[in-house]
Amino acid sequence: MADEFSGAITTWDASTIARAVGEGVCTAEAVTAAHLQRIAAIDPQVQAFIHVDTSRALAAAQAIDARRARGEKLGPLAGVPVAVKDQIAVAGLPQTAASKILQGYIAPYDATAVALLRAADAVVIGKTNQDEFGMGSSTENSAWGPTHNPWDLQRIPGGSSGGSAAAVAAALAPIALGTDTGGSIRQPAALCGVSGLKPTYGRVSRYGAIAFASSLDQIGPMARSPAELALVLQVLAGLDPRDATSEQGPALASGPLIAADLQGVRLGVPVQWRGVREGQDPGVAAQVQATLVQLATAGAKIVEVDVPLLDASVACYYVVATAEASANLARYDGIRFGRRAAWTAQATVDELYASSRAQGFGAEVQRRILLGTYALSSGYYDAFYKKASQVRRLLTAQLHAALAQCDALVGPTSPQCAWPLGARTQEPMAMYLMDIFTISANLAGLPALSLPVLPHPTSGLPIGLQLLGAPWAEWRILSIAKAISDLQPGPQRWPTAVEAP
Amino acid sequence: MSDAPFSLTDAQLEHVARLARLQLDPAQIPQLQRDLTAIVTYFQELQAIDTEGVLPMQHPLDGQWTLRADQASIGLPNATVMALAPVHDQGLFIVPRVVAHGG
């Protein structure tokens, strides 16, 4: 007991906070205040948050304390501060998806994921920075400026959920919500040294998340360990009448996550993910290989699997994702949604659409809208969108076949550690290729997570290991992830570029 | 597809921008053309994959939605929604004219 509740409150994980608040060791207000204080001190350097909701967070915490004082039993996330990606609606708070086109929009309702967190007695402390509409891998495509990696402030935190990852890494919040369309939870988690889970498509309601690519988008948790991901997933999972693409799915286990017995675990390494690929940091490949050797020594069976179409996954993904984005973002026209450009009585509505969109969308979003419009346009639809959708089915079948031979596919989450700010902003294609390991989970709707493993041998920057599972197998990959994190210490616990909590 | 290297022409870019309702900044056009050409060239790698007879997969659920009961429910209050509109009058949204002048 004494040990569990020692140290600064901001170092406690979510389950420790929930126990402390539930048992009256400390108040939810004290927990919230401690995190708000750390945000005030540290976030000017990291810039993880777009909006911090100080007064309402404290009021929500006080309400939780009052309920405990009345003898009510509190929820599984009692008093746990949560940071929410700006893509996701929180009633009464700005929701811009880091886009100028949504500047001034205040969400009039909670996303289902947020409502479920509140029902579990979590406290929303603010909205986190991201790439505009989730389009990017570095959080540099934000209308509000980049987030900085807490391990090295001159480097990117990954993206698109870079603010959520940096907030969890820097002890500004123990847990956060992200969205993942092509790796946007897993890759920033990897680059910031935290854990992140993209659930099976349909496991978590997307109601209240701004749509980027509807057949790929998922909401998921980010936290400081696989056990914490499991705790949050238990709160988020389930069918939501407000999202027809949500499903009940096979039940998750109840109670805390228990590590898998590695003796009984089979991990598949796709030959396409093996070794050092073009554009991959050899240090990342080496540490992933070292982790696999450790796992084999501990009794896990490592098998090779062949998934040939993984090599086509980036092209397939960017056709599908941009096509869906061009359709989803058509609604931001200054009339139905989005900030309206100045207009005169002479302007036609078409002119107003075009100028509102040009002024409101950033360069990467405009590029993707143009690409997607091209891929769907008459004369090109069959060659691009239809072709990519056919490749998607073949790739999905290959992934299912590989997963029939093992418990999870394993490999690096990102080919590189966090890179310097600005290094890839002028080369969109180079940025897209950074998503090579993460996007196939979205194309096939599979659950996948990233957990920190051995840091980079020379730079010391965090490296993430990705586990990709069969549909609805979140609990299996989480329990394997817990076994891996129990086996090896991972990176030094707190990021070195900001003051330790 | 021909074997000639792909290049997005001015006319194609203009056409796509019109379809997307995006007013392009003339200063950005050369860079956009280079970027889009490089990306579309990369997309063309998909052409080499044999997909003969494969049903396109547009969604992980393949259309297996779980629909809720078709029952009326209370939406957001009118005033809450109107407060989000830039210009409104007597409960109506004010927008520019849809029919061009002289039409």
Side-chain angles (χ1 to χ4, degrees):
Chain A
M1 281 300 268
D3 276 347
E4 186 186 10
F5 300 125
S6 66
I9 289 176
T10 48
T11 65
W12 295 1
D13 60 20
S15 57
T16 305
I17 291 171
R19 255 195 314 281
V21 171
E23 292 169 12
V25 174
C26 72
T27 62
E29 185 180 359
V31 173
T32 299
H35 285 87
L36 290 170
Q37 205 172 0
R38 181 158 170 87
I39 291 169
I42 302 292
D43 206 42
Q45 303 160 57
V46 178
Q47 293 170 42
F49 285 88
I50 294 176
H51 186 89
V52 179
D53 191 25
T54 303
S55 58
R56 283 196 308 177
L58 287 169
Q62 287 160 356
I64 291 166
D65 291 332
R67 285 183 27 235
R68 185 179 182 279
R70 288 199 299 269
E72 284 183 38
K73 189 177 171 342
L74 300 179
L77 296 174
V80 175
V82 55
V84 178
K85 186 180 186 180
D86 199 32
Q87 193 103 0
I88 302 168
V90 176
L93 294 194
Q95 182 184 17
T96 67
S99 180
K100 268 198 289 192
I101 208 159
L102 281 170
Q103 187 167 24
Y105 175 72
I106 308 291
Y109 60 89
D110 273 339
T112 296
V114 170
L116 289 169
L117 289 173
R118 286 198 212 271
D121 290 326
V123 174
V124 175
I125 53 169
K127 302 295 293 288
T128 56
N129 200 15
Q130 57 167 93
D131 288 296
E132 185 178 1
F133 287 106
M135 298 183 194
S137 310
S138 67
T139 313
E140 291 166 295
N141 300 330
S142 165
W144 321 124
T147 294
H148 300 258
N149 192 307
W151 293 87
D152 178 345
L153 296 170
Q154 304 310 313
R155 291 175 185 270
I156 56 113
S160 67
S161 311
S164 285
V168 172
L172 307 180
I175 57 170
L177 287 184
T179 63
D180 189 315
T181 303
S184 282
I185 287 174
R186 292 160 284 156
Q187 183 259 19
L191 271 44
C192 288
V194 300
S195 298
L197 171 72
K198 181 202 92 74
T200 306
Y201 187 90
R203 176 69 91 176
V204 175
S205 167
R206 297 178 299 127
Y207 177 74
I210 290 172
F212 156 14
S214 304
S215 81
L216 306 163
D217 297 340
Q218 262 299 285
I219 290 178
M222 305 171 83
R224 294 198 284 261
S225 71
E228 298 271 293
L229 295 179
L231 174 67
V232 183
L233 182 66
Q234 285 169 326
V235 169
L236 297 178
L239 176 70
D240 177 10
R242 290 178 156 141
D243 177 3
T245 64
S246 68
E247 290 194 74
Q248 194 51 48
L252 298 166
S254 56
L257 182 70
I258 294 164
D261 177 1
L262 286 170
Q263 300 279 349
V265 168
R266 277 171 77 87
L267 296 172
V269 179
V271 291
Q272 290 74 16
W273 286 354
R274 253 217 130 100
V276 183
R277 306 171 55 97
E278 193 191 330
Q280 187 175 5
D281 181 333
V284 172
Q287 296 300 57
V288 167
Q289 187 54 34
T291 304
L292 292 178
V293 169
Q294 272 189 338
L295 290 172
T297 309
K301 199 150 183 69
I302 313 286
V303 297
E304 198 164 82
V305 293
D306 190 14
V307 190
L309 284 173
L310 283 175
D311 288 335
S313 58
V314 173
C316 178
Y317 172 84
Y318 274 93
V319 172
V320 170
T322 60
E324 293 189 23
S326 76
N328 269 326
L329 270 56
R331 74 192 67 176
Y332 303 100
D333 57 16
I335 302 288
R336 291 172 297 164
F337 289 91
R339 208 170 58 152
R340 191 174 296 179
W343 50 292
T344 64
Q346 280 72 41
T348 65
V349 77
D350 252 357
E351 287 162 359
L352 181 60
Y353 291 157
S355 58
S356 296
R357 289 163 65 76
Q359 290 171 27
F361 291 136
E364 177 62 20
V365 172
Q366 294 197 30
R367 197 149 49 219
R368 293 201 195 188
I369 289 172
L370 291 168
L371 278 168
T373 304
Y374 177 76
L376 289 173
S377 65
S378 173
Y380 299 96
Y381 179 94
D382 281 358
F384 291 100
Y385 182 67
K386 185 181 170 199
K387 185 78 181 180
S389 301
Q390 290 172 311
V391 172
R392 183 181 187 181
R393 185 175 298 280
L394 294 174
L395 170 63
T396 301
Q398 289 184 359
L399 287 166
H400 284 164
L403 285 163
Q405 303 164 49
C406 55
D407 293 290
L409 302 183
V410 62
T413 306
S414 165
Q416 296 276 342
C417 293
W419 55 85
L421 284 157
R424 291 195 168 82
T425 43
Q426 298 311 312
E427 294 173 73
M429 201 55 238
M431 191 79 95
Y432 296 174
L433 288 168
M434 289 295 106
D435 301 342
I436 177 84
F437 299 123
T438 45
I439 54 192
S440 45
N442 302 77
L443 285 167
L446 301 172
L449 62 79
S450 178
L451 80 156
V453 289
L454 302 164
H456 192 276
T458 51
S459 69
L461 289 167
I463 291 174
L465 184 80
Q466 181 178 225
L467 295 176
L468 197 156
W472 311 108
E474 287 91 349
W475 209 259
R476 183 66 179 151
I477 60 172
L478 284 164
S479 67
I480 296 169
K482 178 158 171 44
I484 297 171
S485 62
D486 288 350
L487 189 68
Q488 56 155 267
Q492 178 185 335
R493 182 155 183 181
W494 299 108
T496 43
V498 293
E499 194 190 328
Chain B
M1 295 270 148
S2 78
D3 292 336
F6 169 83
S7 178
L8 196 75
T9 64
D10 284 356
Q12 280 173 314
L13 183 57
E14 202 180 299
H15 173 65
V16 171
R18 195 166 51 244
L19 290 176
R21 302 293 188 275
L22 270 177
Q23 189 182 72
L24 295 183
D25 173 358
Q28 300 169 342
I29 288 176
Q31 185 61 45
L32 249 181
Q33 241 167 339
R34 275 194 295 277
D35 289 341
L36 297 183
T37 294
I39 297 164
V40 173
T41 301
Y42 185 76
F43 286 174
Q44 287 178 333
E45 289 184 11
L46 294 174
Q47 304 310 322
I49 300 167
D50 181 7
T51 55
E52 188 66 38
V54 176
L55 192 67
M57 172 177 165
Q58 279 153 351
H59 202 276
L61 303 178
D62 266 338
Q64 299 299 304
W65 318 123
T66 308
L67 299 180
R68 66 172 176 263
D70 186 15
Q71 286 165 346
S73 59
I74 306 287
L76 294 167
N78 186 276
T80 306
V81 177
M82 280 299 160
L84 295 167
V87 194
H88 56 95
D89 187 23
Q90 297 169 55
L92 302 172
F93 297 117
I94 305 299
V95 299
R97 59 190 303 138
V98 175
V99 181
H101 285 260

